[in-house]
Amino acid sequence: MIFKTFALLAFEFFKTGLFAIGGGLATVPFLREIAAKYTWFTTDMLSDMIAVSESTPGAIGINMATYAGFSAGFGDGGLAAGILGGIIATLSLAAPSIIIILMLSGAYQKFKSNPLVANAFYAIRPAVTGMIAAVAVTLIESALLTSDFTFAWSELLKLINIKAVILFALLAAATNIKPLKKLHPIVFIVFAGICGAVFNM
Amino acid sequence: MKKLWELFIIFAKIGAFTFGGGYAMLSLLQKEIVDNHKWATEEELLDYYAIAQCTPGIIAVNTATFVGAKQKGIPGGIFATLGLLFPSIVIITIIAAFITHFLEYTIVRHILGGIRAAVAVLIINSVITMGKKSVVDIICLLIAIASFLLSLIFSASPILIVVAAAALGLILRHGGAKK
């Protein structure tokens, strides 16, 4: 039975990797479908899986695949099957990307100095920068605003997470002044995590 | 073999410290891939993101495969991607198996609260660095602003934006390619 689960996991996550275009959250509709189709995990568990995947290191889509694969394997054959299930689901999700990008990467290296391709990328690059700036806005929002806020003018100050704003300003300065800005981003991430724990952010 | 191992390690390091999705890993990519190892330029990184947006799969995986493949062909792409996947598999498996109430621990929420502030700062810095490389004239500036507003306010599909920008580039620079 467990091998059937593994085969189905590989199939479903390969399919997800092949058809989910865009960021990791593009895989959520596919995971919903999987939750409805199999007994691996429920829709309630899925919201937990999304929350954990967003809060742990790594790309969200990858994390969700490991989590879903673990749940499927674990339910069928215990811990070892869970571990294997997580690995199978994750590799299956990544496989279509790897295949497609390997095919495209040669073409990109070959044609990137072609005038037509260069003209297209001349305009694509600022467009991508704009998109990333939009993502930055949502990340700033989630970092600096309190999440459990119901709107009221008198409570407006509570909307802003003061501790987070101070840390944000401190880091913004530190990452842009001379000796400190050379530090690895990991240093700032770890420092911010420690601050979060110490100051109850 | 040494280079393949290096690709695996560097991408595992990037994967282990990426909080907040594929875009948030940009500052780590700039530091490790562009500055430290010179495996790609800022412009190439932007191109990879553009292509990753329009092709199936997770953006982070697509970018890792791209960088790895440029260095060491097919095995390079595979090793870089496996490196990126490795920390996720280990961390999520441990949480799913043993720490089912992971998000209910207050200390976890506090740590994440701090990290979110750092991630926000780092992505702003990344956008500024990318902007300096990609916005080379007034047309680029207008495209960047349009794309920003379209994605933020109208949640426009990234594929649509990339395709529209490509068409604009081809039309506007028709005949006069500047390298």
Side-chain angles (χ1 to χ4, degrees):
Chain A
M1 273 318 275
I2 191 71
F3 290 104
K4 195 184 160 205
T5 305
F6 287 157
L8 286 170
L9 264 179
F11 170 73
E12 289 293 345
F13 279 89
F14 189 88
K15 201 171 85 185
T16 305
L18 189 59
F19 292 110
I21 301 181
L25 289 175
T27 63
V28 171
F30 292 87
L31 292 172
R32 266 208 196 105
E33 209 188 299
I34 293 173
K37 200 163 149 191
Y38 302 93
T39 54
W40 296 339
F41 48 87
T42 62
T43 328
D44 280 351
M45 284 167 75
L46 186 59
S47 16
D48 275 355
M49 281 159 49
I50 296 171
V52 170
S53 300
E54 284 180 326
S55 322
T56 42
I60 296 166
I62 299 170
N63 293 349
M64 287 195 294
T66 307
Y67 210 131
F70 180 88
S71 304
F74 188 74
D76 246 29
L79 187 61
I83 295 171
L84 212 56
I87 295 172
I88 289 169
T90 311
L91 293 181
S92 306
L93 179 82
S97 293
I98 299 177
I99 296 166
I100 292 167
I101 298 297
L102 285 176
M103 292 192 297
L104 286 176
S105 105
Y108 168 79
Q109 297 303 340
K110 198 167 154 197
F111 292 114
K112 73 172 174 184
S113 40
N114 171 298
L116 282 178
V117 176
N119 285 351
F121 275 110
Y122 150 84
I124 290 174
R125 283 174 199 151
V128 174
T129 307
M131 279 190 261
I132 299 173
V135 175
V137 171
T138 61
L139 289 177
I140 295 165
E141 242 174 75
S142 86
L144 303 185
L145 303 185
T146 39
S147 48
D148 47 348
F149 178 75
T150 41
F151 188 82
W153 283 109
S154 54
E155 307 271 287
L156 213 54
L157 257 182
K158 285 190 197 157
L159 173 64
I160 297 161
N161 183 343
I162 301 289
K163 289 176 192 167
V165 172
I166 295 171
L167 180 60
F168 177 87
L170 202 72
L171 289 169
T175 51
N176 283 293
I177 55 168
K178 255 286 151 64
L180 290 176
K181 74 181 207 182
K182 287 279 161 211
L183 287 174
H184 203 288
I186 292 175
V187 176
F188 295 110
I189 292 170
V190 171
F191 172 76
I194 295 170
C195 285
V198 172
F199 300 108
N200 291 338
M201 294 182 67
Chain B
M1 197 61 210
K2 197 175 155 239
K3 186 68 166 280
L4 292 177
W5 186 236
E6 205 184 351
L7 281 165
F8 182 93
I9 294 290
I10 297 299
F11 273 95
K13 191 169 154 190
I14 292 171
F17 286 93
T18 294
F19 285 89
Y23 286 106
M25 79 178 207
L26 204 51
S27 63
L28 295 165
L29 284 171
Q30 286 171 326
K31 184 73 183 178
E32 289 291 344
I33 307 304
V34 179
D35 294 351
N36 289 358
H37 293 274
K38 307 208 164 30
W39 286 338
T41 62
E42 294 276 354
E43 286 90 344
E44 280 175 320
L45 219 50
L46 273 172
D47 296 354
Y48 295 164
Y49 263 64
I51 295 169
Q53 282 281 2
C54 304
T55 46
I58 312 294
I59 294 171
V61 172
N62 294 356
T63 311
T65 309
F66 245 125
V67 174
K70 191 193 164 196
Q71 294 311 311
K72 274 275 166 211
I74 293 174
I78 292 173
F79 268 77
T81 307
L82 290 180
L84 181 79
L85 301 179
F86 182 71
S88 285
I89 292 177
V90 173
I91 294 167
I92 294 292
T93 302
I94 291 172
I95 290 176
F98 305 112
I99 326 175
T100 37
H101 300 289
F102 177 70
L103 288 175
E104 286 159 33
Y105 293 98
T106 29
I107 181 107
V108 170
R109 287 211 303 276
H110 292 324
I111 292 173
L112 289 171
I115 288 177
R116 272 200 291 274
V119 168
V121 168
L122 292 172
I123 198 167
I124 297 173
N125 291 339
S126 296
V127 169
I128 294 170
T129 315
M130 298 243 132
K132 281 181 190 156
K133 293 284 178 179
S134 64
V135 181
V136 292
D137 56 27
I138 186 81
I139 294 170
C140 289
L141 182 65
L142 292 175
I143 292 174
I145 293 171
S147 153
F148 171 74
L149 295 175
L150 282 172
S151 10
L152 189 65
I153 300 171
F154 302 103
S155 310
S157 146
I159 303 176
L160 221 68
I161 296 178
V162 170
V163 172
L168 259 178
L170 289 173
I171 296 164
L172 292 174
R173 311 203 100 196
H174 177 69
K178 189 185 81 182
K179 181 72 190 92

